Amino acid sequence: MARVETRRTLAKAGVITGLILGALFAGLPVLWMLSTSFKSNGEVFQSPPKLLTESFSLDAYREILGNGAQLRFFLNSYIVAFAVTILTLLVALLAGYAFSRFNFPFQRTINAVIVSVQAVPPITLVVPYFGLVVALGLYNTYPGLILTHMVFTLPYAIIMITAYLNTLPRELDESVKVDGGTGWSALWRVLVPISVPGLIAVGVYTFMISWNEYLFALTLTRTDDMRTVPIGIQLLMGQHSYEWNQMMAMSILGSVPVLVLFLLFQRRFIGGLTAGAVKS
């Protein structure tokens, strides 16, 4: 009995130690980024480096928040990310409902194509999408960015929502139809309210993907008034000097929306992810 208790104690200690090491590995870069944002640009490279600065300064944040061009990057990111999230949820919900509740020709083929899109490296699609966006007259526009981002957010969203709807019994749909309703009313009046945790999980993930996207935001925009936050950070890298403190301050400010979303919907986000994995 004593040996069993000892093994349990050692196992628990090992798990806790691993979690602490993992937290330090993941958290120290963020703490260093936060510390750098409160330093002067010349203090960033002092030797030996210090995590806690003696000359605490908010100058980097004042430069970012007082610059209209920098604030425009945040506005663009909000517009694109929210539009991508709403449209992705709408399209993925309808597609997931069709895959979950109906049988139609080429269903497996279409499902395989959706899954295979996830395996395509985005960089291989830069040139084709650039040509397509230019041909459609969407270059350097919000619709061009939104539609392109949706290409990469939709497959995962459809897979997750389909899996979540598969966990809901078909009797719910049938009860609505018995009362004289249609499949459309069953979706919006019954399934959608029940599926809120899954929709939140997919929505938060979609927002994160769109907010942090860099490659296509750089390729499909030309002027600074259409750039997003990741491009704005890159533009702080000048030809002769880098504004490291402003880069870190902008990175911190750019992380706030995603962090707030996760904290607000943490329980439903985790619940939606686990519920979608129960049954497929």
Side-chain angles (χ1 to χ4, degrees):
M1 191 67 179
R3 290 183 178 180
V4 173
E5 290 296 329
T6 302
R7 289 178 181 178
R8 289 180 179 176
T9 302
L10 291 176
K12 186 176 181 180
V15 170
I16 294 175
T17 301
L19 290 174
I20 293 174
L21 292 176
L24 290 174
F25 183 79
L28 279 177
V30 179
L31 290 176
W32 190 262
M33 181 173 67
L34 182 63
S35 171
T36 303
S37 69
F38 294 124
K39 298 177 181 179
S40 63
N41 206 38
E43 192 181 357
V44 174
F45 296 101
Q46 69 176 0
S47 182
K50 295 181 179 179
L51 181 63
L52 300 177
T53 175
E54 297 177 356
S55 55
F56 184 87
S57 173
L58 294 173
D59 290 343
Y61 290 93
R62 293 192 186 99
E63 288 291 334
I64 297 297
L65 297 177
N67 189 324
Q70 302 286 0
L71 293 178
R72 178 73 185 191
F73 298 143
F74 287 93
L75 176 62
N76 292 337
S77 285
Y78 278 118
I79 292 174
V80 173
F82 276 117
V84 169
T85 301
I86 293 171
L87 292 174
T88 296
L89 284 175
L90 179 60
V91 176
L93 179 61
L94 298 176
Y97 181 62
F99 279 114
S100 175
R101 292 300 194 264
F102 302 101
N103 294 317
F104 50 88
F106 306 108
Q107 182 174 4
R108 291 186 177 181
T109 303
I110 296 174
N111 195 30
V113 171
I114 292 173
V115 173
S116 65
V117 170
Q118 291 286 89
V120 177
I123 195 170
T124 62
L125 301 175
V126 170
V127 174
Y129 270 102
F130 177 80
L132 179 62
V133 168
V134 170
L136 294 175
L138 299 177
Y139 181 64
N140 202 48
T141 65
Y142 289 128
L145 280 178
I146 292 168
L147 292 175
T148 303
H149 285 188
M150 286 180 64
V151 172
F152 301 100
T153 58
L154 264 177
Y156 174 84
I158 292 174
I159 293 169
M160 285 296 297
I161 291 179
T162 301
Y164 194 92
L165 291 178
N166 284 340
T167 65
L168 305 179
R170 293 178 179 267
E171 286 76 9
L172 294 172
D173 308 48
E174 295 172 359
S175 64
V176 174
K177 294 178 182 179
V178 168
D179 293 335
T182 63
W184 189 256
S185 59
L187 171 63
W188 294 107
R189 294 181 182 179
V190 178
L191 298 182
V192 169
I194 298 175
S195 304
V196 167
L199 295 176
I200 288 177
V202 173
V204 172
Y205 173 83
T206 300
F207 185 91
M208 290 169 54
I209 293 297
S210 180
W211 181 272
N212 293 318
E213 203 283 321
Y214 172 84
L215 183 60
F216 288 92
L218 175 65
T219 306
L220 302 181
T221 57
R222 180 182 67 253
T223 58
D224 287 349
D225 63 336
M226 284 301 303
R227 305 288 195 185
T228 56
V229 170
I231 312 304
I233 296 174
Q234 188 266 335
L235 291 176
L236 290 172
M237 301 178 184
Q239 182 177 1
H240 302 291
S241 64
Y242 287 6
E243 298 294 338
W244 288 106
N245 56 345
Q246 293 185 36
M247 289 169 60
M248 297 301 105
M250 196 167 182
S251 298
I252 292 294
L253 292 174
S255 304
V256 169
V258 177
L259 179 61
V260 170
L261 280 176
F262 181 79
L263 291 177
L264 288 176
F265 302 111
Q266 181 178 6
R267 290 184 179 179
R268 292 191 173 185
F269 177 76
I270 297 174
L273 288 178
T274 54
V278 173
K279 178 183 178 183
S280 60

